[in-house]
Amino acid sequence: MSNPDRTGEGAGEAGHEAITGSVDALPEGRRGGRRGRRRRGEETRVPDAEFRSYHGRPVLNQIVWEARDIGGYLFLGGLAGASSVLAAGAQLTGRPALARPLKYTALVAISGSTAALIHDLGRPERFLNMLRVFKPTSPMSMGTWILMCYGPLAGAAAVTEATGWFPRLGRAATIGAGLTGPLVATYTAPLICDTAVPAWHEGYRQMPFVFASSAAAAAGGMGLVAAPIEQSGPARRAAVCGALGEVATSTFMERRMGLVGEPYERGRAGALTRAAKALSLAGAVGAVLGRRSRAVSALSGAALVAGSALTRAGIFQAGVQSAADPKYTVVPQRRRSEERAAEESREPAGAGASG
């Protein structure tokens, strides 16, 4: 018979015993043999394996987008779209002092949003190249075309308001911008959720509602800042409803995501998210209490705009943090795999029972 110490058989068995933690219980010189195997019921020394990534490196490619560019792109797009909706409603209901500043806000915001996107892309022609295709299944392709349709409408509405030229054209452009405004305010939600970033992807059901309510709060806040009290009623209602909806839907989203929602409560993302909720709630309270005070209304509006901006910044930062930590990718994947395996193991028994 061969010598297990020379053939390596004993070494392999000893390695197994070392992993299970029973080597020390073996007699000296027999730690590779059969007589020294651990007894039943004996606890192993090594705990259950935890998830690990290769050398502790992130599982996903890290986000290379600039926080200033993409955070601004997300916020300004929402502000522009919701401002156009409010401006159209104000014009149709005879509130020119509210419609006018919101038209200007929409043009400035969409210009800034587009500029931030192009700056992050690096070269302007990359933005133009996205217009070469029209792909309904691509949020980026659809978003590019939405911007190209909305931008001229918002520009025409603002320019005709400022110059007084072509009032009928300006009215039509205002209504057109108001109809496309909701798409501009919310398309960025599926855009970021259609990625592998855990803190974004897992919130795909609630993220559009978070973006829509946040945009409404920001546009309502701008209306409170710029419009006189006697015409700011629609902006006030939009601001309060948007702020409360933003806080409620974002909190629900974070809780529903479970482990993947942790980045919204930790680190820089947690600080931004908490500040956003505090400003949004304070702005909503001020908007209700300051119905007769121009100064209080303006301060409340500024708080709402800042809260909306911090909400988008917090969402962006949460995505960065979740992509950097492998547990937010590995643990949910393992859990889904185990759930599928459990379902598959139950299917044959169920099929046999039904037969």
Side-chain angles (χ1 to χ4, degrees), residues 110-157:
I110 198 61
S111 300
S113 179
T114 306
L117 175 60
I118 293 174
H119 183 266
D120 187 76
L121 291 174
R123 296 199 302 268
E125 59 268 24
R126 290 178 176 173
F127 178 82
L128 297 177
N129 286 338
M130 290 189 289
L131 297 174
R132 298 171 62 182
V133 296
F134 182 84
K135 189 175 181 182
T137 57
S138 170
M140 177 58 77
S141 175
M142 297 307 298
T144 304
W145 282 102
I146 288 171
L147 288 178
M148 291 302 297
C149 294
Y150 169 81
L153 292 172

Side-chain angles (χ1 to χ4, degrees), residues 64-77 109 112-122 188 312 316:
V64 297
W65 298 334
E66 290 289 338
R68 179 180 58 185
D69 289 338
I70 300 305
Y73 163 66
L74 298 176
F75 164 67
L76 291 173
S113 179
T114 306
L117 175 60
I118 293 174
H119 183 266
D120 187 76
L121 291 174
T188 47
R312 308 302 176 101
F316 179 83

Side-chain angles (χ1 to χ4, degrees), residues 39-267:
R39 301 172 183 174
R40 291 185 178 181
E42 181 181 352
E43 295 184 1
T44 61
R45 180 175 300 174
V46 181
D48 293 338
E50 298 291 339
F51 69 89
R52 286 191 179 92
S53 62
Y54 188 69
H55 289 302
R57 297 179 63 83
V59 176
L60 301 177
N61 291 331
Q62 296 306 282
I63 297 173
V64 297
W65 298 334
E66 290 289 338
R68 179 180 58 185
D69 289 338
I70 300 305
Y73 163 66
L74 298 176
F75 164 67
L76 291 173
L79 174 61
S83 294
S84 289
V85 174
L86 272 180
Q91 179 162 315
L92 292 174
T93 56
R95 294 180 173 89
L98 174 62
R100 186 179 305 109
L102 288 175
K103 291 180 186 181
Y104 300 155
T105 298
L107 176 58
V108 172
I110 198 61
S111 300
S113 179
T114 306
L117 175 60
I118 293 174
H119 183 266
D120 187 76
L121 291 174
R123 296 199 302 268
E125 59 268 24
R126 290 178 176 173
F127 178 82
L128 297 177
N129 286 338
M130 290 189 289
L131 297 174
R132 298 171 62 182
V133 296
F134 182 84
K135 189 175 181 182
T137 57
S138 170
M140 177 58 77
S141 175
M142 297 307 298
T144 304
W145 282 102
I146 288 171
L147 288 178
M148 291 302 297
C149 294
Y150 169 81
L153 292 172
V159 171
T160 55
E161 180 67 35
T163 61
W165 300 342
F166 310 109
R168 292 184 179 180
L169 176 62
R171 184 181 179 87
T174 300
I175 296 174
L179 292 175
T180 55
L183 298 177
V184 178
T186 56
Y187 87 88
T188 47
L191 177 63
I192 65 171
C193 290
D194 191 31
T195 65
V197 177
W200 297 344
H201 180 74
E202 294 296 325
Y204 71 94
R205 288 187 179 91
Q206 292 79 34
M207 196 72 76
F209 298 99
V210 175
F211 275 38
S213 55
S214 177
M222 284 301 301
L224 293 178
V225 170
I229 293 177
E230 56 271 14
Q231 293 193 17
S232 64
R236 194 177 307 278
R237 289 188 287 273
V240 174
C241 293
L244 296 179
E246 175 187 353
V247 173
T249 53
S250 61
T251 302
F252 176 73
M253 179 183 72
E254 296 159 17
R255 297 293 182 268
R256 182 188 172 279
M257 286 194 292
L259 174 68
V260 181
E262 283 185 357
Y264 289 96
E265 301 175 353
R266 298 182 177 181

Side-chain angles (χ1 to χ4, degrees), residues 10-32:
E13 196 170 7
H16 173 75
E17 299 293 334
I19 292 174
T20 59
S22 59
V23 172
D24 290 344
L26 297 176
E28 182 114 6
R30 293 296 299 169
R31 292 181 179 176

